[in-house]
Amino acid sequence: MDKQKSLMDCYYFFNKTCAKGDKCPFRHCHQARSTRVVCSFWKKAVCFRNNCSLRDNPTPDLLACLRI
């Protein structure tokens, strides 16, 4: 999995239902869950900070989570 995809917000985490915990390949950031602001650097594919307090996606992708 490429680095940026591994930093995509987890759909299930945002809905408080991710059962994978630390084994989940998607990002679990509590600060990002409490905002609707999307990271402008993510939009340009240059944000690789796991602890970025902004969202990487306006609505975390359910289909991406299901593919893993």
Side-chain angles (χ1 to χ4, degrees):
M1 179 179 297
D2 64 63
K3 185 170 181 135
Q4 191 171 28
K5 185 170 182 178
S6 69
L7 294 177
M8 286 176 57
D9 289 324
C10 174
Y11 172 86
Y12 295 104
F13 177 75
F14 271 77
N15 290 289
K16 300 179 182 177
T17 60
C18 184
K20 294 183 181 180
D22 292 337
K23 294 184 185 227
C24 181
F26 295 94
R27 186 172 85 125
H28 289 195
C29 180
H30 293 280
Q31 291 173 316
R33 187 165 59 187
S34 65
T35 186
R36 296 227 178 258
V37 179
V38 177
C39 177
S40 61
F41 293 108
W42 176 265
K43 290 179 185 178
K44 298 175 187 173
V46 294
C47 183
F48 298 105
R49 298 179 330 156
N50 194 36
N51 63 347
C52 180
S53 62
L54 303 175
R55 289 192 177 200
D56 71 0
N57 186 338
T59 54
D61 188 357
L62 170 62
L63 293 178
C65 286
L66 290 174
R67 281 185 228 124
I68 298 299

